[in-house]
Amino acid sequence: MYAETFARLIEELKKLPGIGPKSAQRLSFHVLQSSRQDVDKLVEAIKQAKAMLKHCSKCYNITDVEPCKICSDDNRGKNQLCVVAEPKDLLAIERSGGYQGKYHVLGGLISPLDGIGPESLRIKELIERLRREKVEELILAISPTTEGEATNIYLSKILKPLGVKITRLAYGLPIGADMDYADEATLSKAFQGRNELVV
Amino acid sequence: MYAETFARLIEELKKLPGIGPKSAQRLSFHVLQSSRQDVDKLVEAIKQAKAMLKHCSKCYNITDVEPCKICSDDNRGKNQLCVVAEPKDLLAIERSGGYQGKYHVLGGLISPLDGIGPESLRIKELIERLRREKVEELILAISPTTEGEATNIYLSKILKPLGVKITRLAYGLPIGADMDYADEATLSKAFQGRNELVV
């Protein structure tokens, strides 16, 4: 009942993550109602992104220059290396502004159920970097999930012989959260990690 | 902090309806992770849709043939004409399979607050059709909202002199809904429109 060209657009949009039939239809109507110029800009942005963006050869972040802006920024400390699972985690940390060192993107987390073992991640590359670069502290900034914990444990075991100091982000109550809404695991971690309040 | 090409893609995606910063980022990562072939198919579908799809010159539905498939389908009754606000409403009715006649798409609803008066809608075209075609019943299939009611009232007033029978869809409880979750307006309409139960 859809015009064929319209049905094809809906089909393609439905393949995108988080886009169901209803959203795909709404987006398709939006494309039809937009100016030719706006549609061209969208299409160009997609094509350019696909053509230009690569993984940085040093940290494996997404970049259109080589090495990426963070790796080539001499103002950023070289003594710290922050390990993240995906580029989106790196972006979240950058948005927070709480870290000024360099990064290493693993490309995922260990997850035997999904067939992702340590060899699928950029752990070999991390070890090479630790041997080559003068890193004093390796910060594991990995989500506290089952897969994240497995990856943390694996990394700390395999990297121990290298003698680098390994830390991980604090677990505890999220800022702004109501304490009685915190789940048991978070609350228990928050107790374990309690700090002396200095006034 | 984003690579420029990546930031531009996120910006373009954020302009789409229902796509916030988080979804735009997720979609952008998806584009990077997809095969070149899949991205080309998406881009082509967007370009094709924009280039090929037009409004049918008779009913103003979206189509890539002229007149549209529904208008050129001789199996569909010509005595009934169903008036809808937007092509998506037409699609919803087609999915229901409850109607076998022809359509007229207004292109919106009367909404003075948004600056949409009757002259912005395809009402002149509707009157011309009613004069030219042998329509016995005009069915107003318009959402029961403030704007929808205003449009219904305006249409029934302006079309009355043409002598065509004007009906509108029944208002009442949605099928499958729990009665105690129905809002007061719906329940009151359902009472007003009650039918004798014939067993």
Side-chain angles (χ1 to χ4, degrees):
Chain A
M1 115 205 52
Y2 285 123
E4 253 173 67
T5 334
F6 196 67
R8 206 174 316 135
L9 178 55
I10 291 178
E11 277 315 305
E12 288 301 324
L13 291 171
K14 258 166 48 185
K15 292 180 189 166
L16 301 174
I19 307 288
K22 208 81 182 169
S23 302
Q25 185 184 294
R26 192 176 61 231
L27 289 173
S28 300
F29 278 121
H30 178 85
V31 165
L32 300 191
Q33 280 156 10
S34 302
S35 70
R36 169 74 55 123
Q37 206 185 351
D38 283 347
V39 173
D40 284 349
K41 271 164 79 179
L42 171 64
V43 163
E44 267 317 299
I46 297 173
K47 283 164 72 179
Q48 282 277 325
K50 190 64 192 165
M52 305 278 287
L53 291 170
K54 315 228 168 330
H55 288 294
C56 169
S57 66
K58 285 187 82 171
C59 73
Y60 301 95
N61 184 19
I62 281 167
T63 180
D64 46 12
V65 287
E66 175 55 38
C68 78
K69 281 184 198 161
I70 294 175
C71 283
S72 59
D73 183 349
D74 290 333
N75 290 325
R76 298 187 73 117
K78 287 181 176 173
N79 301 335
Q80 291 181 316
L81 192 62
C82 178
V83 176
V84 295
E86 300 282 0
K88 66 176 159 54
D89 302 322
L90 183 157
L91 291 171
I93 296 169
E94 285 295 290
R95 269 196 299 273
S96 81
Y99 178 66
Q100 293 299 323
K102 311 249 164 162
Y103 290 95
H104 187 85
V105 181
L106 288 178
L109 293 172
I110 296 174
S111 174
L113 287 176
D114 302 313
I116 307 175
E119 69 288 347
S120 318
L121 308 178
R122 299 193 196 93
I123 295 176
K124 210 171 53 191
E125 292 85 345
L126 174 61
I127 295 173
E128 274 165 34
R129 281 187 80 176
L130 290 174
R131 289 210 172 108
R132 215 171 43 229
E133 299 171 25
K134 225 186 68 187
V135 175
E136 287 171 11
E137 183 184 0
L138 190 77
I139 304 169
L140 303 178
I142 287 174
S143 303
T145 57
T146 317
E147 291 82 9
E149 284 306 288
T151 309
N152 273 343
I153 291 166
Y154 181 87
L155 284 177
S156 57
K157 273 188 187 159
I158 205 164
L159 300 177
K160 206 176 179 187
L162 298 174
V164 63
K165 178 182 173 188
I166 300 175
T167 58
R168 72 170 174 194
L169 296 194
Y171 299 161
L173 299 173
I175 304 305
D178 237 331
M179 214 188 69
D180 59 344
Y181 281 97
D183 62 291
E184 295 84 350
T186 301
L187 214 49
S188 141
K189 289 282 182 195
F191 264 97
Q192 285 169 35
R194 67 189 182 280
N195 302 303
E196 194 175 355
L197 188 68
V198 184
V199 281
Chain B
M1 115 206 53
Y2 285 122
E4 254 173 68
T5 334
F6 195 67
R8 207 176 313 136
L9 179 56
I10 290 178
E11 277 313 306
E12 288 302 323
L13 291 171
K14 257 166 47 184
K15 291 180 190 167
L16 300 175
I19 307 288
K22 208 83 182 171
S23 302
Q25 186 184 295
R26 192 176 61 231
L27 289 173
S28 300
F29 278 121
H30 178 85
V31 164
L32 300 191
Q33 280 155 11
S34 303
S35 70
R36 170 75 53 126
Q37 207 186 351
D38 283 347
V39 173
D40 284 348
K41 273 166 77 179
L42 171 64
V43 163
E44 268 316 299
I46 296 173
K47 283 164 71 180
Q48 281 278 324
K50 190 63 194 163
M52 305 279 288
L53 290 171
K54 315 226 168 327
H55 288 296
C56 170
S57 66
K58 287 188 80 172
C59 73
Y60 301 95
N61 184 20
I62 280 166
T63 180
D64 47 11
V65 287
E66 176 54 38
C68 78
K69 280 183 197 162
I70 293 175
C71 283
S72 60
D73 184 348
D74 290 332
N75 289 323
R76 299 186 75 116
K78 286 180 176 172
N79 302 336
Q80 291 181 317
L81 192 62
C82 178
V83 176
V84 294
E86 300 282 1
K88 65 177 160 52
D89 303 321
L90 184 158
L91 292 170
I93 295 170
E94 285 294 289
R95 269 196 299 271
S96 80
Y99 177 66
Q100 293 300 323
K102 310 248 163 162
Y103 290 94
H104 187 84
V105 182
L106 288 178
L109 292 172
I110 296 174
S111 174
L113 286 176
D114 301 314
I116 306 176
E119 70 289 345
S120 317
L121 309 178
R122 298 192 197 95
I123 295 176
K124 210 171 53 190
E125 292 84 346
L126 174 61
I127 295 173
E128 275 166 31
R129 282 187 78 177
L130 290 174
R131 290 213 172 106
R132 213 171 46 230
E133 298 171 26
K134 225 187 66 189
V135 175
E136 289 171 10
E137 184 184 359
L138 188 78
I139 305 167
L140 303 178
I142 287 175
S143 302
T145 57
T146 316
E147 291 82 9
E149 284 305 288
T151 309
N152 274 341
I153 290 167
Y154 181 85
L155 284 178
S156 56
K157 274 190 186 156
I158 205 164
L159 300 177
K160 207 177 180 185
L162 297 174
V164 62
K165 180 181 171 189
I166 301 174
T167 58
R168 72 170 177 195
L169 296 194
Y171 299 161
L173 299 173
I175 305 302
D178 238 329
M179 214 189 67
D180 60 342
Y181 281 98
D183 62 291
E184 294 84 351
T186 301
L187 214 49
S188 144
K189 290 282 181 196
F191 263 96
Q192 285 167 34
R194 68 191 182 278
N195 301 303
E196 194 175 355
L197 191 66
V198 185
V199 282

